[in-house]
Amino acid sequence: MAVTPGWCGAVAGTMLVLAGCTAAGGGGAGEGDASASATAGPGRGPAKVAQERSERPYDLAGAMLDRLEPLWTSYGEFGGPVAIHDGTVVAVDHLGDPDVLKGIDLETGEVRWRRASSRGALVGARERDLTSFETSEGDTVVLNVGPAERESADGGSGHTGAILDPATGTILAELPRAWMSQSWVCPGAGGLCLGVSTDLTRTWSTVRIDPATLAAEPFDESGIHDGVAEARVLAGGVQAEIADDGAEALVRRGDDGRVLWRLPVDDLEPGGSVLGSLAAATVREDPTGDVLHLSTSLGVDPDATERVEVRDFTALSLDLATGEVLARRDGRLWCHAEVLCSGDLALVAERGGEWVQDPGDLVIAGAGARASDLAWEAELPDAVLHSREGGHGYASPPGTLLAESAGVVGAINLETGAFTALGEGTVACTQVRWSADAEYASLSGDREPVRSGLMARPCRGATAGGSAAGSADAGDAVWSRAAIEGAATVGEVDGRRIGVVVEEGQLAAYDLTEHD
């Protein structure tokens, strides 16, 4: 089973602090076969722990009016993802041929290093997946897929992959030449999994980059743990595992692979599957014990449909320490760390397997981490919480949840559920960046622009209503603190908190320290 993970933008993007978005499947597909490309395997990115809300309420109205000037800008056609590693911004610049992976000083904007790069053998509507992972010693390293060669000096063909030190761009290890597609966290084994092929056909296999040696070696999920045929990383050390006898369970393991608890999926839904469904997971911190929040379409095979309703999902809260089901809510999904969604909202498959939201009447509800009771419920008619057609959306600042309802853009009060239309000032609108790619055109024969990530721009809150998100006429709208904090990737250097935003035509960095 293989599912493209574009639904992550529609569901886990809706779940603004839910970053543990995963899609079932494995391997990858090459550019040389259209049907193979349509079922490209997933990127199984690492889950992030949801941050607790600040004790100080976020002043959205004030932040929308608080104009910030950039510390520095870096010209180029940057896409995503952008990452920050120990004071270095790592991002791909798609301006020119080939692409260039750059390491940029977070504090000064100085380009520390450059490496020729490429998107690998991905379909035109897919962007790069997981590109960094931790070594056994706890150091972060970065995967760079170099430009493809059909007939290289050594007689081979394919991409030249390398593992880099993000601070210096130094090559720490070189990978055997091969056509390289998608990358994801190797379930149960650590390190990075990468889809490779020797001939750009349907024959794809998986190699694992060992976190101890950085060597690439063949990887078979059936060899992860005794009796496990397939696995999928969720969050907090929890995996969906299918045993050799076909039984599926949610399993949490310790660092040594020992099973801490096991929850059979049949106990949740007879005949259902988490591994073979759309699913997003995150860990929510709580003083009485951390909780795994899981949204999954247990009974729906996403390969067999182009539309999935919110009512097809089940939202679960599991005690991370014991696996106990604290709460189960059928027909709902987690659309924020503290908010559940239900109603007529649907996810619809677009080009290249991307899933976007189809507006509908939505019911939102406030939920505690461990409590089964709901704190409040509210209705949002004709609502959109994230990416609609074309990938447009809103980037919510911390502690807030932006939404569009009946053509009006507003903020949802997380304490009461009240929806308030935005006033003067700006928030960040997001949209997909499409870039020309000579290598992709050469390999596929398709000269259409390729998807290269998301970019953001400021949209006026008072005028954004009534227009598709991200396409509102911003005119000379300026970057406010609310827009920056919604759209930025944030890092710290020498006690300063700096946010980096992918803007049209440049990267821009802003100092957010004085606003903490």
Side-chain angles (χ1 to χ4, degrees), residues 4-88:
T4 50
W7 66 275
C8 296
V11 182
T14 296
M15 296 180 271
L16 294 170
V17 296
L18 247 61
C21 184
T22 59
E31 305 293 7
D33 187 287
S35 61
S37 297
T39 56
R44 303 179 189 173
K48 297 179 182 178
V49 176
Q51 296 179 350
E52 292 182 276
R53 290 176 55 207
S54 170
E55 294 181 0
R56 181 179 60 187
Y58 188 81
D59 178 13
L60 179 60
M64 289 177 62
L65 295 170
D66 191 1
R67 177 174 179 172
L68 300 186
E69 296 294 337
L71 286 173
W72 54 261
T73 59
S74 183
Y75 174 74
E77 192 171 308
F78 295 91
V82 170
I84 299 176
H85 303 293
D86 293 330
T88 301

Side-chain angles (χ1 to χ4, degrees), residues 108-196:
T108 66
E110 177 187 359
V111 178
R112 292 176 170 174
W113 54 266
R114 297 174 172 84
R115 290 282 179 187
S117 189
S118 83
R119 69 197 322 269
L122 295 176
V123 298
R126 286 297 312 279
E127 58 203 56
R128 290 298 312 159
D129 302 303
L130 178 68
T131 57
S132 65
F133 64 101
E134 283 194 357
T135 67
S136 297
E137 296 180 353
D139 299 321
T140 298
V141 294
V142 173
L143 166 69
N144 181 45
V145 176
E149 295 184 53
R150 286 195 178 274
E151 292 295 336
S152 63
D154 60 11
S157 62
H159 297 98
T160 53
I163 306 301
L164 309 179
D165 178 344
T168 64
T170 301
I171 295 177
L172 303 176
E174 294 184 340
L175 307 181
R177 186 185 301 277
W179 298 102
M180 301 177 184
S181 65
Q182 294 168 267
S183 51
W184 62 95
V185 176
C186 286
L192 188 73
C193 276
L194 179 65
V196 297

Side-chain angles (χ1 to χ4, degrees), residues 318-402:
L318 305 179
D319 186 298
L320 188 60
T322 66
E324 176 189 358
V325 178
L326 302 172
R328 171 182 177 147
R329 300 173 178 93
D330 293 323
R332 298 180 188 260
L333 59 77
W334 289 102
C335 49
H336 186 274
E338 303 172 49
V339 180
L340 290 160
C341 288
S342 59
D344 295 331
L345 194 70
L347 308 180
V348 180
E350 273 198 334
R351 174 186 173 190
E354 183 74 8
W355 292 75
V356 299
Q357 291 181 11
D358 189 13
D361 295 338
L362 189 64
V363 177
I364 58 176
R370 305 178 70 85
S372 58
D373 295 334
L374 302 178
W376 50 261
E377 282 197 350
E379 296 182 359
L380 290 179
D382 192 24
V384 176
L385 289 178
H386 194 63
S387 56
R388 61 172 2 162
E389 183 178 0
H392 300 297
Y394 298 100
S396 297
T400 66
L401 179 56
L402 302 184

